[in-house]
């Protein structure tokens, strides 16, 4: 099966793009969704995260306080690497299991940190959703109700745009409206179906 790795900086529009692929009947595997499921109370990863970062990151209901954990790791590269060491291998293994359970021409695997996490070998092509940094910052500030400094810190923790785009096989510009994005997704969908039909998965 042709595997497309969908990635992009925070605020670029990965969720919108993934939803549009899903509307076309394409199976979408979301690494963020997997990560959330992996740290549900009582799971092995949950216990390891709490043991590593302490009880302060646990909410009253017993679940992880995601905002507090996010603030902690995005302001401390060492802490971020500790969290990634717990989650990334488990997320990777879960993605492989979900792919193996599919039967379709191609699937989309959404991994925000695809380049940073070294998971590129899981996919045949890398699709980068792209938008200018200032546009992404405004979206993140509005969506998450955070200030400019925090938005910039989160963006700085990710791969820079040049590195991400340098790994791209396909680039999806998301500076226009939803109709334009939908048309671009449809064009890519047709292309991916053709690639899947021919078995030509090699990168350009």
């Amino acid at each position: 099966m042709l595997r497309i790795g969908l990635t992009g900086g925070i605020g670029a529009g990965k969720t919108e793009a993934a939803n549009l692929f899903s509307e076309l009947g394409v199976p979408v595997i979301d690494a963020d969704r997997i990560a959330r499921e992996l740290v549900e109370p009582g799971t092995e990863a949950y216990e390891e995260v709490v043991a590593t970062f302490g009880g302060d990151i646990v909410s009253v209901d017993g679940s992880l306080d995601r905002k507090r954990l996010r603030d902690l790791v995005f302001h401390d590269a060492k802490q971020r690497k500790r969290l990634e060491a717990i989650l990334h291998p488990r997320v990777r293994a879960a993605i492989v299991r979900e792919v193996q359970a599919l039967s379709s021409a191609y699937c989309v695997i959404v991994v925000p940190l695809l380049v940073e996490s070294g998971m590129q070998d899981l996919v045949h092509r890398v699709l980068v959703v792209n938008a200018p940094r200032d546009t992404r910052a405004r979206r993140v500030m509005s969506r998450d109700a955070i200030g400019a400094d925090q938005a910039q810190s989160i963006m700085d923790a990710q791969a820079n745009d040049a590195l991400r785009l340098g790994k791209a096989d396909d680039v999806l510009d998301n500076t226009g409206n939803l109709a334009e994005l939908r048309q671009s997704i449809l064009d890519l969908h047709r292309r991916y179906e053709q690639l899947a039909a021919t078995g030509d998965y090699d990168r350009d």
Side-chain angles (χ1 to χ4, degrees):
M1 183 195 309
L2 175 62
R3 301 185 299 275
I4 307 300
L6 191 158
T7 192
I10 187 169
K14 296 182 294 297
T15 299
E16 285 181 332
N19 289 342
L20 290 170
F21 274 111
S22 184
E23 287 178 9
L24 293 170
V26 180
V28 174
I29 298 173
D30 185 349
D32 277 352
R33 185 262 304 164
I34 291 173
R36 289 193 298 271
E37 293 174 353
L38 285 171
V39 294
E40 288 295 321
T43 62
E44 181 183 88
Y46 171 90
E47 299 297 339
E48 190 170 346
V49 169
V50 174
T52 300
F53 297 98
D56 287 345
I57 64 166
V58 178
S59 300
V60 175
D61 64 1
S63 64
L64 291 183
D65 185 331
R66 299 182 188 282
K67 183 179 185 305
R68 182 169 294 181
L69 183 59
R70 181 182 65 187
D71 291 345
L72 175 66
V73 301
F74 276 116
H75 287 89
D76 188 327
K78 183 178 179 180
Q79 296 283 57
R80 184 169 68 251
K81 290 184 181 301
R82 293 172 74 190
L83 180 63
E84 290 172 350
I86 295 170
L87 293 181
H88 284 180
R90 291 179 169 93
V91 169
R92 181 188 182 93
I95 288 173
V96 171
R97 288 194 298 271
E98 293 196 13
V99 168
Q100 291 173 341
L102 295 175
S103 57
S104 60
Y106 79 96
C107 68
V108 171
I109 304 172
V110 185
V111 186
L113 301 180
L114 182 68
V115 174
E116 299 91 326
S117 64
M119 293 190 194
Q120 285 175 256
D121 63 313
L122 292 178
V123 302
H124 296 107
R125 298 184 70 84
V126 174
L127 169 59
V128 173
V129 185
N130 194 49
R133 185 180 174 98
D134 59 343
T135 299
R136 291 189 280 119
R138 287 196 301 271
R139 290 173 179 169
V140 173
M141 290 165 62
S142 174
R143 183 191 69 193
D144 297 343
I146 60 177
D149 289 345
Q150 188 173 6
Q152 294 298 330
S153 294
I154 295 172
M155 294 170 70
D156 289 342
Q158 298 182 335
N160 65 53
D161 293 347
L163 175 60
R164 191 183 297 109
L165 291 169
K167 302 293 185 180
D169 298 290
D170 305 297
V171 178
L172 185 61
D173 177 61
N174 189 25
T175 55
N177 56 41
L178 185 60
E180 291 171 327
L181 181 63
R182 179 175 282 107
Q183 182 59 53
S184 296
I185 294 288
L186 183 58
D187 292 341
L188 283 169
H189 174 62
R190 290 167 176 159
R191 184 183 181 203
Y192 292 153
E193 285 190 319
Q194 291 174 348
L195 290 176
T198 62
D200 182 11
Y201 297 172
D202 292 336
R203 293 189 169 116
D204 297 335

